[in-house]
Amino acid sequence: MNKEDKYATLVLFGATGDLAKRKLFPALYSLYCDGYLPERFAVVGLGRRSLTQEDFYHHIKDSLEAFSRYDIRPEDWEGFIQRFHYVQLDINQASDYEALASYVEKLEQRQEINGNRLFYLAIAPGLFEPVTFQLKEAGLLQTKGWKRLIIEKPFGHSHESAEELNDKITQVFKEEEIYRIDHYLGKEMIQNIQVIRFANSFFEPLWNNQYIASIQLTSSETVGVENRGSYYDKVGALRDMVQNHMLQMVTMMAMEPPSRLKAEAIRDEKVKVLRSIRRMETEQEIQEHVVRGQYEAGELQGEGVKGYREEQNVAEDSSTETFVAAKIMVDNFRWAGVPFYIRTGKRLPSKATEIIIQFKSMPYLYFNKDGNLAPNLLVIQIFPEEGIHLKFNAKKPGTEGSILPISMDFCHDSTVGINSPEAYERLLNDVLEGDSTYFTRWDEVSLAWKIVDPIIQSWEKSEGIPLSTYKAGQWGPTEAKELLEKDGFHWWQVFGEK
Ligand SMILES: NC(=O)C1=CN([C@@H]2O[C@H](COP(=O)(O)OP(=O)(O)OC[C@H]3O[C@@H](n4cnc5c(N)ncnc54)[C@H](OP(=O)(O)O)[C@@H]3O)[C@@H](O)[C@H]2O)C=CC1
Ligand SMILES: O=C1O[C@H](COP(=O)(O)O)[C@@H](O)[C@H](O)[C@H]1O
């Protein structure tokens, strides 16, 4: 691409918020240090509070000191911080947008930026819609260059609310200008799934129901809800993690090779997977295939922790799930009969994200006739380490002649020896380049809601599926174990687990 195409002004709503502090400023700093930020690039940070430029600089410095993967070097800091400008704006005040429009225009003239504008909504979802309309009203979208919108999660609370939001936003921005963030798609090893699958002749032939017995996807967290109780208690793990991150991982694993390595072709294939996922409609199906749980007080890493209902801003009688496990079936030629087991939860024993592919057993067990030969596993480790591990059987050295499960390991972190870029760095750079491959298109979001909505509705009925409990520090309720055991599987030990 032409380098001028990347020159841009980033208009950042929510510049004084938690996301900006923990993720966005550090991501911008890394992009700057790695030479990915265009030479003409300005950030207009917006917040409700009154801040001087100096205050804003301090705020950004604090953010980098706490969260950046690079140390602040004076020679980088100067070049970086001069791109930042703070403007106080109340999202509900039309006159503030007029002031913003004139500020941005003058800045673009001064910095010779040709009108490319990137609007990032790092604000509460209830504000997404008013902001987009005000941007239009104030003429901020009438620009000579491109305009793009980055929108944070959650995108809706149900299919209906997501559709309403989408209808509103698409009155102002075209679909190809909208970048819906799912930060899991920015993770190194999730992007690597395509390369593992489509650049290796020995994986692709095995990637189907003839050779694969089941696939497990885990995203476990040790943290509780922390200071996000008021958000989380209305949302729960199914909306917070499954509707987006977990289903996106399933699509990356299950999709067909795209016709071209282009955003639309890849997203078309992911959509086909979402369409093929068997919908659970009846209460019985949901009860059989989905487990929900909530943590009680327990012990984690040697320390006592409180239960979910004792957390700040959580209702005393809350029935919000902090854990979900589910069996997902993808009804197509490639995957018929292969269960995809997903689980995610808070206050679990370790923080880990990984995908484990369990291959079918050999048709005849010459070696262990009792059937105890370990199955071949391919482990895609996404967090804490980034790596791929292939587990297979080999002869135990010596005369005994017994069999030993061994592992061939590729550990990305230690092999490459770098501090791998964070998801937000890749995603911000992609938006600047106009590449929407790792953002969710509306039809993906819509289908994902259609998969989870009936489950939510069933849970909301008082006679619906019971909410199980688990002690903080355990791998969810016992029903999560039983979900696999009834199919003859078990959860494999997560890498991060001690
Ligand atoms: N924090 C996180 O780790 C994650 C957050 N997200 C999403 O990112 C978005 C932002 O979250 P987060 O940063 O945590 O939220 P915060 O509550 O920390 O920040 C909210 C921001 O919105 C601004 N704001 C609120 N009301 C107004 C208003 N009327 N006019 C102008 N600005 C206003 C605040 O400005 P001020 O403080 O000056 O009032 C602040 O900058 C949400 O959609 C969230 O779901 C997604 C994934 C992770
Ligand atoms: O989107 C979210 O993701 C985080 C987990 O992300 P990870 O990159 O640390 O795995 C989760 O804590 C949060 O509740 C959810 O909103």
Side-chain angles (χ1 to χ4, degrees):
M1 85 189 290
N2 189 328
K3 72 176 184 176
E4 280 91 38
D5 288 344
K6 248 177 118 174
Y7 293 169
T9 306
L10 166 61
V11 179
L12 175 59
F13 288 85
T16 49
D18 182 65
L19 182 72
K21 182 167 186 176
R22 290 199 305 118
K23 298 287 179 193
L24 305 182
F25 298 136
L28 288 167
Y29 186 62
S30 300
L31 287 174
Y32 177 77
C33 294
D34 290 341
Y36 288 112
L37 273 197
E39 53 191 270
R40 292 191 212 153
F41 180 74
V43 181
V44 179
L46 305 170
R48 198 171 23 179
R49 68 189 79 167
S50 156
L51 289 185
T52 63
Q53 292 303 331
E54 271 313 298
D55 295 336
F56 192 45
Y57 294 167
H58 281 301
H59 179 74
I60 296 170
K61 199 164 201 178
D62 289 347
S63 140
L64 301 188
E65 274 164 0
F67 302 107
S68 171
R69 64 187 181 89
Y70 286 134
D71 290 335
I72 307 178
R73 293 186 312 184
E75 63 273 30
D76 291 328
W77 172 250
E78 288 309 317
F80 176 70
I81 199 63
Q82 66 184 10
R83 293 150 184 264
F84 285 77
H85 311 268
Y86 184 76
V87 173
Q88 186 182 8
L89 170 140
D90 183 341
I91 284 168
N92 305 309
Q93 267 313 327
S95 56
D96 285 1
Y97 291 83
E98 285 156 26
L100 174 66
S102 104
Y103 187 95
V104 170
E105 252 170 53
K106 285 186 194 137
L107 184 68
E108 286 173 343
Q109 277 164 16
R110 253 192 350 260
Q111 311 229 334
E112 296 178 52
I113 296 173
N114 44 0
N116 294 331
R117 293 178 188 170
L118 174 53
F119 300 93
Y120 197 130
L121 308 191
I123 45 177
L127 300 173
F128 293 163
E129 186 198 320
V131 169
T132 50
F133 274 93
Q134 296 282 11
L135 288 174
K136 185 177 174 202
E137 286 300 300
L140 271 142
L141 306 182
Q142 283 160 7
T143 166
K144 295 197 292 292
W146 48 251
K147 59 181 196 304
R148 293 178 189 148
L149 178 74
I150 307 186
I151 192 155
E152 265 298 336
K153 64 167 283 213
F155 199 89
H157 194 70
S158 60
H159 185 266
E160 195 185 352
S161 58
E163 196 168 40
E164 268 171 34
L165 174 63
N166 198 57
D167 286 348
K168 295 279 167 38
I169 289 173
T170 49
Q171 288 173 28
V172 178
F173 288 90
K174 296 191 208 115
E175 173 63 34
E176 57 272 27
E177 294 171 331
I178 303 173
Y179 292 74
R180 295 179 195 83
I181 291 253
D182 183 316
H183 78 278
Y184 268 50
L185 292 177
K187 289 182 189 261
E188 178 66 32
M189 289 307 294
I190 291 183
Q191 297 194 349
N192 206 347
I193 293 171
Q194 286 191 344
V195 182
I196 295 165
R197 290 191 51 194
F198 305 134
N200 293 297
S201 57
F202 59 88
F203 286 134
E204 191 47 29
L206 306 181
W207 213 265
N208 55 54
N209 53 10
Q210 282 192 50
Y211 296 98
I212 291 179
S214 71
I215 298 186
Q216 301 182 4
L217 302 100
T218 296
S219 176
S220 61
E221 296 188 86
T222 51
V223 291
V225 287
E226 308 204 288
N227 56 359
R228 295 170 73 216
S230 50
Y231 155 78
Y232 195 86
D233 205 35
K234 291 191 221 83
V235 173
L238 192 68
R239 289 187 179 99
D240 189 45
M241 292 292 292
V242 176
Q243 188 274 342
N244 36 66
H245 311 320
M246 302 305 289
L247 287 178
Q248 282 295 325
M249 288 199 282
V250 171
T251 64
M252 296 294 282
M253 291 298 291
M255 66 184 264
E256 293 300 315
S259 54
R260 286 161 300 129
L261 269 188
K262 290 276 181 250
E264 295 319 316
I266 292 171
R267 300 197 300 182
D268 287 347
E269 295 307 332
K270 288 167 66 199
V271 162
K272 287 188 203 160
V273 175
L274 291 165
R275 282 206 192 104
S276 305
I277 289 180
R278 190 182 302 166
R279 299 275 173 82
M280 293 177 234
E281 306 285 359
T282 67
E283 212 154 276
Q284 196 197 339
E285 281 171 313
I286 294 168
Q287 191 141 7
E288 230 169 84
H289 299 304
V290 191
V291 173
R292 62 170 172 159
Q294 189 187 72
Y295 63 83
E296 292 178 327
E299 195 171 303
L300 228 156
Q301 292 157 352
E303 281 191 19
V305 295
K306 52 186 168 189
Y308 177 69
R309 290 182 184 181
E310 287 120 47
E311 299 276 16
Q312 206 188 349
N313 298 322
V314 167
E316 277 171 18
D317 58 349
S318 170
S319 58
T320 299
E321 77 289 355
T322 58
F323 176 95
V324 175
K327 173 179 169 180
I328 289 178
M329 298 305 291
V330 181
D331 287 335
N332 62 19
F333 259 49
R334 187 186 283 264
W335 296 114
V338 180
F340 286 69
Y341 298 107
I342 58 170
R343 66 174 165 172
T344 181
K346 296 206 184 271
R347 289 289 190 223
L348 300 183
S350 62
K351 166 88 182 147
T353 306
E354 61 185 25
I355 302 174
I356 301 182
I357 298 131
Q358 177 173 340
F359 289 89
K360 288 189 171 166
S361 300
M362 296 301 287
Y364 180 72
L365 299 176
Y366 289 104
F367 298 98
N368 284 23
K369 294 214 170 55
D370 59 4
N372 284 336
L373 206 60
N376 295 154
L377 301 179
L378 176 69
V379 181
I380 301 177
Q381 204 182 354
I382 297 153
F383 190 88
E385 264 104 51
E386 295 171 343
I388 303 168
H389 310 270
L390 190 57
K391 311 247 173 215
F392 56 102
N393 296 304
K395 179 181 169 298
K396 188 172 178 185
T399 49
E400 213 182 287
S402 59
I403 293 179
L404 198 64
I406 57 167
S407 178
M408 229 157 70
D409 303 315
F410 162 74
C411 182
H412 190 266
D413 265 0
S414 56
T415 308
V416 181
I418 54 153
N419 200 344
S420 173
E422 285 231 20
Y424 276 93
E425 295 172 29
R426 285 196 200 87
L427 296 175
L428 275 167
N429 189 49
D430 286 350
V431 184
L432 283 173
E433 302 212 332
D435 181 353
S436 52
T437 308
Y438 294 112
F439 295 84
T440 45
R441 205 168 62 187
W442 164 244
D443 46 358
E444 294 179 73
V445 177
S446 161
L447 285 161
W449 276 120
K450 286 183 178 167
I451 293 165
V452 303
D453 263 3
I455 304 172
I456 295 169
Q457 282 153 15
S458 165
W459 288 351
E460 278 169 0
K461 287 192 209 150
S462 53
E463 74 274 22
I465 297 155
L467 172 72
S468 311
T469 54
Y470 60 100
K471 284 202 171 14
Q474 292 182 346
W475 282 101
T478 47
E479 288 85 343
K481 232 171 118 209
E482 290 159 10
L483 179 74
L484 274 69
E485 281 170 357
K486 59 190 179 201
D487 293 343
F489 294 109
H490 62 269
W491 294 104
W492 292 99
Q493 176 145 332
V494 176
F495 255 78
E497 194 175 1
K498 300 285 172 294

